[in-house]
Amino acid sequence: MTTANKLSQFLPGDFSPKETVALLAGKGAYPDIVKSKLDAAGIKSVLIAFEDETSPELYSSYPESSRHLQNVGQLGRLLKNLEKSRARYAIMAGQITPKKLFKGMKPDLKALLTLAKLPRRNAETIFGAIAKEMGKIGVEMLDARSFLDDSIAPKGFFCGNSWNLREDSVVHAMNIAREIARLDIGQSCVTSRGTVIAVEAFEGTDKMIERAGTFEAKDMIFAKTVKPRQDYRFDVPVIGERTIRKLAAANIKNVVLEAGRVIILEKEKVRKSALESGVKIFGL
């Protein structure tokens, strides 16, 4: 087993823990968890923070010499910051507000020239183009699941031990999630007794859950999966404590996750929140 495999099954085989990792930090707890994992492994990291996205607490946790703040669209500045940091690897952690990719991005000249070459503009193509530019300066984008092996959704019940749902209803929910993922619409849906209540699209998971809750349907199931050709460098399906709170508020008490693929952030916090709110979580 290589050193990389010992650290995480998602790292490239030639990963060197002696090199610097740039943490491209979005919203939520994800970046904080990745930083703690890097620190625990003794891996030096630098922070690339984004205006109105990265938490001020995470930003202040880095010394001034190891942190850089910029707008999402400043690709030229990103590349310069990576070179200045002498980073060999980069890892994306946490969500960038989807609308930022279309409004408020403030692209610099480098970004404009890169975007102009894209036949389609979505999160995957935009971040893919950014990764390609990073590769040109010797920075490798890591799988965003790296160091989070213990956060992968397990098979069977993660929270709860049974539910009053028909098996075909559970399978139907996951089949719908997989189909919309295949069509690159979203990765989550809400169903009720074989009826599709809501599917996730550009508005994101939270808004979809809120919308589904307004229908007050019975036995609702929230299902989350991955795309058939998921690029885990930029897009890792995640649920966390906030997701559980949203589901409970919408009276959605049944969760089905793609086992081995979806990440459960801060598992014990999620389990505690789910138990308190009566939400059952199952890995299919």
Side-chain angles (χ1 to χ4, degrees):
M1 182 179 288
T2 65
T3 301
N5 293 143
K6 290 177 183 178
L7 289 170
S8 174
Q9 64 179 309
F10 304 114
L11 288 170
D14 60 352
F15 176 82
S16 172
K18 296 180 181 179
E19 299 285 355
T20 300
V21 175
L23 176 59
L24 279 58
K27 291 181 178 294
Y30 201 152
D32 298 273
I33 295 170
V34 173
K35 181 183 185 298
S36 69
K37 296 286 188 180
L38 291 168
D39 290 347
I43 298 171
K44 181 184 177 182
S45 68
V46 295
L47 179 70
I48 304 295
F50 299 105
E51 295 171 4
D52 303 320
E53 302 289 334
T54 308
S55 76
E57 293 78 14
L58 180 61
Y59 184 75
S60 62
S61 72
Y62 277 84
E64 190 172 345
S65 60
S66 298
R67 66 189 187 194
H68 305 277
L69 180 63
Q70 62 173 89
N71 182 270
V72 172
Q74 293 176 315
L75 177 56
R77 186 170 179 180
L78 170 63
L79 297 175
K80 287 178 182 177
N81 287 335
L82 289 171
E83 288 186 305
K84 188 186 303 181
S85 302
R86 296 184 179 179
R88 171 66 184 84
Y89 306 102
I91 185 168
M92 288 194 67
Q95 186 187 43
I96 299 297
T97 305
K99 68 179 182 181
K100 282 284 184 71
L101 299 179
F102 299 93
K103 185 178 181 181
M105 191 179 186
K106 301 177 185 176
D108 58 17
L109 180 59
K110 182 67 174 178
L112 286 170
L113 292 172
T114 301
L115 290 171
K117 300 174 185 176
L118 298 178
R120 289 188 304 134
R121 292 190 189 182
N122 56 34
E124 193 166 340
T125 60
I126 291 172
F127 287 125
I130 291 172
K132 188 175 180 179
E133 293 299 320
M134 289 166 59
K136 292 177 182 178
I137 62 168
V139 178
E140 180 180 357
M141 282 294 299
L142 298 175
D143 186 316
R145 297 170 295 176
S146 298
F147 311 105
L148 295 179
D149 302 55
D150 59 354
S151 298
I152 301 297
K155 276 189 175 292
F157 277 102
F158 172 72
C159 191
N161 50 32
S162 66
W163 48 22
N164 298 318
L165 294 173
R166 288 167 53 108
E167 184 179 349
D168 58 351
S169 293
V170 176
V171 172
H172 171 260
M174 183 55 76
N175 284 343
I176 294 299
R178 287 169 176 160
E179 185 63 12
I180 64 169
R182 183 185 70 81
L183 295 170
D184 199 19
I185 296 170
Q187 295 164 304
S188 305
C189 70
V190 175
T191 64
S192 169
R193 299 178 179 179
T195 297
V196 178
I197 302 299
V199 298
E200 175 197 18
F202 185 69
E203 82 275 29
T205 304
D206 289 354
K207 294 292 184 182
M208 186 268 294
I209 291 172
E210 291 172 9
R211 180 159 47 86
T214 64
F215 293 100
E216 300 181 358
K218 303 292 185 182
D219 298 330
M220 286 191 284
I221 302 171
F222 169 79
K224 194 173 191 73
T225 186
V226 300
K227 298 174 186 176
R229 292 173 295 280
Q230 188 86 19
D231 191 333
Y232 288 102
R233 295 176 300 170
F234 318 117
D235 187 12
V236 181
V238 169
I239 70 161
E241 187 182 9
R242 187 183 69 180
T243 311
I244 302 302
R245 291 198 302 268
K246 288 282 185 182
L247 289 165
N251 199 33
I252 301 170
K253 298 300 181 76
N254 306 294
V255 175
V256 185
L257 305 176
E258 188 82 53
R261 303 277 184 106
V262 175
I263 283 179
I264 304 175
L265 281 182
E266 299 179 296
K267 276 186 172 180
E268 291 313 307
K269 286 186 179 180
V270 168
R271 194 194 306 274
K272 183 175 184 291
S273 181
L275 286 170
E276 290 174 350
S277 55
V279 173
K280 298 177 180 181
I281 304 172
F282 186 83
L284 188 63

